[in-house]
Amino acid sequence: MTIEIRPVPVPERLGVPEAVEFEAAAEAVAIVEESVWGHRKFAWDTYELLPRYRDETYHGMRAFAAWDGDRCVGRVECEWERSDGAETVDLVLGVIPEHRRAGVGTALLDAALDLAAGLGRPTLTAMSDVPASALDAPGERLEARDGSGSIPASDPGAAFAVHHGFRLAQLERVSGLTVTGRADAFAEASVEHEARASAYRLVSWVDRAPDELLDELAVAHAAMSTDPPAGTATFDEEIWDAARVRATEDEALDGRRTTLVTAAVSTDGRVAGYTELSLPAESASAFQWDTIVLKEHRGHRLGMRVKLANLVLLGRVAPDRTDVYTWNADENEHMLAINVALGFTVRGLSALWQLDAGAGTADSGATTGS
């Protein structure tokens, strides 16, 4: 078997000969996701991916694919923040099951390492996923410094990361909430919370934020890159302004995603916190992405209020959605408690791995147990 690693070309549009490799690489990723989770709900389709690669104003994107003849058998996606002082490159690497343990993943990682070196970025981060059904595998376990969760050291993604010198920087809980038939319950709970709410008012919208909130919303978006628990991971600070908020909205719309947002606004017009749901086209799922309450506004139950209001909005805008999925740091006890109260259950864990230039391969950064 001869494997060729080459950059994935970014086409002007889909469904043309120039898009074949881009589309094949996305299909390979979907196969990998299905092999881990048993479904493709978490895989981005080509319509969602293309806008992310086409506009590199705020972040860079490159991908390399592994080819066995004319079949794509693996891909690594590399993304990096363009702000001054940023030092990381974030990877999404996957190889289809029948081509694993043959050096394909290593070759893809080498391509990503070369890219990071050329960018002058000393730090690489990557994720590996363990579904709930595989969490209790016997044998040695890996635990991050913070939080209470652990993953089996035998998990293929974990074994690959440790072998290549990555250290376990954080674990994230993957949670799911079945929303079918719960619209009335969410609405009633939201009414109860609003009846005893503080002075903060809630503002909800679909796809486009109100003009008068753009600057304050940019402040809250920037805080998302620095405020949530980070374990021992390096996260680059993101620089946001009103233009970036609008560009992010455009990217979602170009990718056929609907975005639902609810923000808590203080009496002086500041965005105290917000939460968002992302709805891919042709899917029964929704994804709860950013949720944050800024430090100076905590202690008013704003997290529960904005999440409930956004679930009510979901029931109105997209009553056909059946499930909501979200990722939270395993040590983020407050946000996890809100999710549990809403009915989210554990669907798995995602491990955040970090490779620091010159770190070697001796220390996984994890504690072990059995």
Side-chain angles (χ1 to χ4, degrees):
M1 178 179 67
T2 301
I3 298 295
E4 181 183 2
I5 308 295
R6 59 178 184 264
V8 177
V10 180
E12 291 287 338
R13 55 193 177 92
L14 300 170
V16 297
E18 293 76 18
V20 168
E21 292 193 5
F22 187 86
E23 293 165 347
E27 173 62 16
V29 174
I31 293 171
V32 171
E33 290 286 328
E34 190 170 17
S35 74
V36 174
W37 294 103
H39 59 72
R40 296 186 172 200
K41 295 177 183 178
F42 300 160
W44 289 54
D45 66 27
T46 51
Y47 290 95
E48 297 168 308
L49 287 169
L50 187 57
R52 296 179 60 209
Y53 280 87
R54 296 288 301 162
D55 185 357
E56 294 190 311
T57 304
Y58 301 103
H59 57 89
M61 297 282 292
R62 296 288 186 279
F64 301 90
W67 298 89
D68 181 10
D70 59 358
R71 186 185 186 196
C72 182
V73 299
R75 187 201 72 171
V76 60
E77 178 182 88
C78 309
E79 182 175 9
W80 61 96
E81 181 71 15
R82 290 194 178 278
S83 60
D84 292 341
E87 58 184 27
T88 68
V89 175
D90 185 50
L91 310 182
V92 179
L93 191 156
V95 178
I96 65 175
E98 59 267 35
H99 280 74
R100 291 172 186 166
R101 299 186 179 275
V104 178
T106 298
L108 288 168
L109 178 59
D110 286 344
L113 287 167
D114 288 343
L115 174 69
L119 292 168
R121 301 292 176 104
T123 301
L124 278 76
T125 59
M127 302 289 289
S128 67
D129 297 323
V130 185
S133 60
L135 281 176
D136 294 329
E140 186 180 48
R141 303 193 67 79
L142 302 176
E143 302 169 356
R145 184 195 67 181
D146 300 327
S148 59
S150 66
I151 59 174
S154 59
D155 173 74
F160 178 87
V162 171
H163 175 74
H164 288 282
F166 284 80
R167 60 179 177 83
L168 181 58
Q170 189 178 49
L171 289 173
E172 290 190 354
R173 187 184 303 182
V174 185
S175 303
L177 171 68
T178 299
V179 295
T180 301
R182 296 199 60 195
D184 290 343
F186 292 140
E188 291 172 4
S190 183
V191 168
E192 291 176 3
H193 276 77
E194 294 313 299
R196 56 178 184 268
S198 61
Y200 296 87
R201 63 187 175 92
L202 300 188
V203 181
S204 298
W205 63 86
V206 179
D207 293 329
R208 296 282 189 185
D211 289 340
E212 64 272 16
L213 291 182
L214 282 179
D215 290 335
E216 286 297 324
L217 191 60
V219 173
H221 273 285
M224 271 300 303
S225 66
T226 57
D227 284 8
T232 61
T234 299
F235 287 97
D236 292 322
E237 182 179 2
E238 297 178 0
I239 307 302
W240 284 77
D241 57 14
R244 185 166 184 172
V245 175
R246 287 292 188 229
T248 302
E249 293 172 344
D250 289 340
E251 183 179 283
L253 289 168
D254 290 345
R256 307 192 308 175
R257 280 185 175 243
T258 300
T259 306
L260 312 182
V261 183
T262 295
V265 182
S266 65
T267 53
D268 58 356
R270 298 188 179 278
V271 171
Y274 73 94
T275 189
E276 62 182 12
L277 288 168
S278 180
L279 282 58
E282 301 176 9
S283 173
S285 301
F287 297 88
Q288 187 172 276
W289 281 355
D290 291 0
T291 300
I292 187 171
V293 176
L294 277 67
K295 292 178 181 178
E296 60 269 29
H297 299 284
R298 292 173 188 169
H300 301 279
R301 299 186 61 81
L302 297 180
M304 177 63 82
R305 286 180 62 196
V306 295
K307 285 192 174 187
L308 271 173
N310 225 29
L311 288 171
V312 173
L313 181 61
L314 175 66
R316 293 203 305 265
V317 173
D320 56 326
R321 302 285 163 149
T322 61
D323 294 275
V324 175
Y325 296 95
T326 191
W327 284 252
N328 298 96
D330 189 53
E331 65 268 30
N332 193 346
E333 296 179 358
H334 178 69
M335 198 61 71
L336 289 172
I338 294 174
N339 288 344
V340 170
L342 288 170
F344 281 88
T345 58
V346 178
R347 306 300 172 89
L349 289 175
S350 289
L352 174 61
W353 302 93
Q354 183 161 320
L355 180 65
D356 303 297
T361 60
D363 185 4
S364 69
T367 57
T368 59
S370 60

